[in-house]
Amino acid sequence: MISSSTLPISVLICRNYKGDVDMAEIDHFLPLLMTQEEEGLTCPIMSHGNVHFLWIKHTNLYLVATTNKNSNASLVYAFLYKVVEVFTEYFTELEEESIQDNFVVVYELLDELMDFGFPQTTDSKILQEYITQEGTKLEVAKTKVPTTVTNAVSWRSEGIKYKKNEVFIDVIESINLLVNANGSVMSSDIVGTVKLKTMLSGMPELRLGLNDRALFALTGRDKGKTVTMEDVKFHQCVRLSRFESDRTISFIPPDGESELMSYRINTHVKPLIWIESVIEKFSHSRVEIMVKAKGQFKKQSVANNVEVRVPVPSDADSPKFKTSTGHAKYVPEKNLAVWTIKSFPGGKEFLMRASFGLPSVENDEMEGKPPITVNFEIPYFTVSGIQVRYMKIIEKSGYQALPWVRYITQSGDYQLRSNF
């Protein structure tokens, strides 16, 4: 781990897991990086002799992994980002000061996260059971490694008890959309996640049923609305062999909050919030922008915290706004007019007019034409039509548990190009 905020740039902390790469090799990393930055050819993997550097940057730190073999780069980067996630859970902010203030804890974590070059315990909740930020003050009784580390179910502790057993399921879909200046959808897809908040006693087994088209085809029940999910990724608790054989999502859940799965749906998405824009220039002294926003989703649904971000010329000043709802403001450091609508019902149309002074217009042709971007969130609605058909909770004590399901659709990379 290398700090980029102090000069000269120095190695803060390191751990040699296998001993097959000389510790002095890290001295070649920064000269290689600086050379590439000067040439404008920064690469995530760099080599010096037969040693390869795989690195990421987080705040003022470089996290660097070294190897002299043809290692799995995806695994290495997944581990580096997991290190960032775990350290952030421990120290709130991962930066040079938090590493310097917690050297002992950092070394303990590095020893548990990986063993002889193989990722080991990477769940921060389990690590926090036996590695605390008061590591030098640990009582003898607490130094015993919990059984979760050696259990088959390493992501959940035994003996968990709740007075009220509940599971909260959030199905969150983000829409990525690009519309060209002629109003045609150039690209669109849906990226979804299923998040859990489990408050269940004991060691329960859960079975989740979705309206998965592959499952319905497998069982011969192709009735009603189904979805085809691609690029499905699961939390380690899901039994993959069971899913591959009969598409059943069966698992023993982590306690508390976790992301059970993510998926992508490659489909044509109709823009949920449609934007039309017109720009007029008057005698090279001012510019007026008219933006119309229309909700193209069900009337019974409401989009919350809608934010329409409209690019304006970099030399604009003296902003004046008029809106039919919500409020607008000028953000000069980003060259944007931001129109905020707290509540946007489906089927409604709203207008925003903006006027700016233009001290100079000579450089207009030299500027790019950034797209209009929209942020929003629509609760109780999924654009793909995905549904949780059932959630079965099985525990040997036979207690009754309540599953709660919530659907949310939100904007992802949602862009509409204009003729500005």
Side-chain angles (χ1 to χ4, degrees):
M1 199 171 291
I2 300 172
S3 168
S4 63
S5 63
T6 56
L7 293 173
I9 296 175
S10 57
V11 176
L12 278 177
I13 197 165
C14 58
R15 181 72 173 84
N16 195 336
Y17 289 104
K18 300 182 75 172
D20 56 350
V21 176
D22 192 326
M23 298 284 273
E25 287 288 343
I26 194 64
D27 295 338
H28 301 292
F29 169 72
L30 284 169
L32 283 170
L33 181 64
M34 292 173 71
T35 301
Q36 288 198 353
E37 286 180 344
E38 288 172 2
E39 297 172 354
L41 299 170
T42 308
C43 180
I45 301 176
M46 300 184 294
S47 300
H48 178 264
N50 67 337
V51 176
H52 311 290
F53 302 99
L54 296 85
W55 63 279
I56 62 172
K57 187 174 183 182
H58 181 81
T59 60
N60 58 358
L61 298 173
Y62 291 102
L63 286 82
V64 187
T66 60
T67 179
N68 57 8
K69 295 181 173 61
N70 185 20
S71 301
N72 184 334
S74 296
L75 176 64
V76 174
Y77 282 111
F79 178 76
L80 290 176
Y81 282 109
K82 195 68 182 178
V83 169
V84 171
E85 182 183 320
V86 170
F87 283 9
T88 303
E89 285 278 337
Y90 266 81
F91 312 130
T92 308
E93 294 290 338
L94 176 56
E95 53 190 19
E96 181 182 352
E97 291 77 9
S98 57
I99 298 298
Q100 290 175 335
D101 294 343
N102 297 278
F103 270 128
V104 174
V105 177
V106 169
Y107 270 118
E108 288 182 1
L109 287 171
L110 290 174
D111 282 340
E112 294 299 329
L113 286 164
M114 181 170 281
D115 182 31
F116 198 66
F118 296 97
Q120 192 173 235
T121 306
T122 58
D123 192 311
S124 58
K125 291 179 182 176
I126 301 301
L127 289 166
Q128 285 170 352
E129 290 187 18
Y130 63 103
I131 296 179
T132 73
Q133 285 172 275
E134 298 179 3
T136 55
K137 301 178 183 178
L138 283 177
E139 298 174 12
V140 175
K142 292 184 180 178
T143 58
K144 184 180 178 183
V145 176
T147 54
T148 44
V149 175
T150 53
N151 272 358
V153 185
S154 61
W155 55 87
R156 184 180 178 89
S157 302
E158 294 181 353
I160 296 172
K161 291 184 180 179
Y162 286 98
K163 288 183 179 179
K164 188 176 182 181
N165 294 286
E166 295 178 302
V167 182
F168 296 89
I169 308 165
D170 280 349
V171 180
I172 303 170
E173 291 191 338
S174 299
I175 299 175
N176 298 322
L177 181 80
L178 176 61
V179 178
N180 68 13
N182 297 322
S184 301
V185 177
M186 301 293 290
S187 64
S188 64
D189 67 359
I190 301 165
V191 177
T193 57
V194 178
K195 296 185 177 181
L196 298 180
K197 183 177 181 182
T198 56
M199 296 187 289
L200 298 172
S201 305
M203 199 69 75
E205 178 172 330
L206 276 59
R207 292 175 191 165
L208 176 68
L210 303 173
N211 56 334
D212 176 10
R213 184 166 298 167
L215 170 64
F216 279 39
L218 195 66
T219 56
R221 293 180 293 120
D222 196 2
K223 296 179 181 178
K225 173 75 174 177
T226 59
V227 295
T228 301
M229 297 184 292
E230 302 176 24
D231 300 336
V232 181
K233 300 185 182 80
F234 288 111
H235 187 280
Q236 61 176 329
C237 66
V238 175
R239 296 183 177 89
L240 294 180
S241 57
R242 180 82 183 269
F243 179 77
E244 288 167 0
S245 63
D246 61 11
R247 304 290 286 191
T248 299
I249 303 172
S250 173
F251 58 99
I252 296 173
D255 186 44
E257 295 181 2
S258 61
E259 184 177 301
L260 179 67
M261 62 179 287
S262 63
Y263 59 89
R264 183 176 63 84
I265 298 176
N266 191 10
T267 183
H268 178 81
V269 179
K270 178 183 178 182
L272 296 180
I273 295 181
W274 181 253
I275 302 293
E276 293 180 13
S277 57
V278 177
I279 185 170
E280 290 184 90
K281 292 180 182 177
F282 296 90
S283 64
H284 300 290
S285 62
R286 78 180 198 276
V287 61
E288 290 191 357
I289 301 170
M290 189 276 288
V291 176
K292 181 169 73 173
K294 181 179 180 181
Q296 298 189 142
F297 48 92
K298 295 177 181 178
K299 290 183 178 180
Q300 57 265 39
S301 295
V302 176
N304 296 327
N305 304 316
V306 177
E307 194 176 78
V308 183
R309 302 164 72 90
V310 184
V312 299
S314 59
D315 54 357
D317 61 12
S318 308
K320 295 178 182 177
F321 296 102
K322 186 177 181 181
T323 62
S324 60
T325 190
H327 66 275
K329 65 178 181 179
Y330 177 42
V331 186
E333 63 272 19
K334 295 183 179 178
N335 299 323
L336 289 174
V338 179
W339 179 20
T340 303
I341 304 170
K342 191 172 182 180
S343 181
F344 196 137
K348 295 287 186 180
E349 285 186 9
F350 299 112
L351 283 174
M352 186 269 287
R353 294 182 183 274
S355 175
F356 294 89
L358 284 180
S360 63
V361 295
E362 289 81 4
N363 295 327
D364 278 6
E365 286 74 27
M366 300 298 291
E367 292 188 1
K369 295 182 178 180
I372 295 173
T373 59
V374 186
N375 296 330
F376 59 86
E377 184 177 281
I378 307 175
Y380 318 114
F381 172 79
T382 57
V383 70
S384 71
I386 193 169
Q387 293 177 346
V388 175
R389 294 176 53 247
Y390 63 82
M391 168 66 86
K392 295 180 180 177
I393 303 165
I394 305 163
E395 213 279 330
K396 60 184 179 182
S397 64
Y399 61 69
Q400 295 295 310
L402 296 172
W404 304 89
V405 183
R406 179 173 62 170
Y407 300 97
I408 299 172
T409 291
Q410 62 187 20
S411 57
D413 187 13
Y414 195 102
Q415 301 183 355
L416 301 98
R417 291 177 180 163
S418 63
N419 288 310
F420 282 14

